[in-house]
Amino acid sequence: MTAPFSSMKEALLLIDVQSDYFPGGRMELAGMEDAAKKADALLKAFRTAGKPVFFVRHLSVRPGATFFIPGTPGADIHASIQPLPEETVIEKYFPNSFFQTELLLRLKEADITNLVVCGAMSHMCIDTTVRAAKELGFTSTLIADACATRDLKFENELLPACIVHAAFMAALDGMFAAVTTAEDYLS
């Protein structure tokens, strides 16, 4: 049974807003700068309201990894959304932010029931984390314009980032999350 809305506790989950995804990084994403501006607006609103914020930082330790290499500037959380000392930073090694991390434990300790999710990449870490959150009993609001992705290739077809992003937002909307914009969420 779902708790009444008034007793639900919400947290912001900022996933992989890291320097390698920005211009000049090792895996530049389409629209990452705009997505980060929206994520920053959400971050400021959560801080002002005194609501919890959780940062997730991906580190690539698999052989042959080309970005988010530990110890490189590209693996750092981007300067546009730096965590405060008292805010939680979860390190992960797989797309799912819950897999082999302390995220679930930390959310439970804070009595979080609702997640407001943004970050990157829409088709990878955002998708797997939002789906896992649903399976773990969380209600998620996914902020579409605070997420970014890249072009993908399937067989001989190049799929532009805007199509990839829209397809994943459409797939997650309803069953796994309420997908909205930063402006609509903040209004």
Side-chain angles (χ1 to χ4, degrees), residues 49-141:
K51 292 182 179 182
V53 175
F54 294 81
F55 293 81
V56 178
R57 177 178 174 232
H58 194 113
L59 296 175
S60 295
V61 294
R62 63 177 171 74
T66 59
F67 63 101
F68 293 165
I69 309 299
T72 66
D76 294 339
I77 294 173
H78 193 260
S80 63
I81 62 148
Q82 284 295 298
L84 299 175
E86 66 273 14
E87 291 172 336
T88 302
V89 178
I90 302 290
E91 291 187 348
K92 68 178 176 72
Y93 304 98
F94 301 97
N96 177 352
S97 298
F98 292 98
F99 184 66
Q100 296 182 5
T101 72
E102 294 182 355
L103 181 59
L104 180 59
L105 175 66
R106 296 294 188 93
L107 293 172
K108 285 185 173 187
E109 287 174 347
D111 294 321
I112 303 301
T113 56
N114 292 8
L115 299 175
V116 176
V117 181
C118 62
M121 291 186 280
S122 306
H123 73 279
M124 185 64 66
C125 299
I126 297 298
D127 178 64
T128 56
T129 299
V130 168
R131 290 172 187 268
K134 173 71 173 182
E135 291 173 356
L136 293 167
F138 293 94
T139 299
S140 295
T141 300

Side-chain angles (χ1 to χ4, degrees), residues 149 159-168:
T149 196
L159 304 166
C162 63
I163 299 297
V164 173
H165 178 75
F168 276 83

Side-chain angles (χ1 to χ4, degrees), residues 10-63:
E10 186 174 61
L12 178 62
L13 186 60
L14 296 135
I15 301 172
D16 301 351
V17 184
Q18 293 169 247
S19 296
D20 269 341
Y21 281 158
F22 287 79
R26 296 180 180 192
M27 178 58 72
E28 184 177 338
L29 301 183
M32 190 64 204
E33 290 175 306
D34 289 337
K37 288 177 187 171
K38 304 290 185 179
D40 183 51
L42 293 163
L43 179 58
K44 287 175 180 165
F46 270 72
R47 285 175 174 165
T48 298
K51 292 182 179 182
V53 175
F54 294 81
F55 293 81
V56 178
R57 177 178 174 232
H58 194 113
L59 296 175
S60 295
V61 294
R62 63 177 171 74

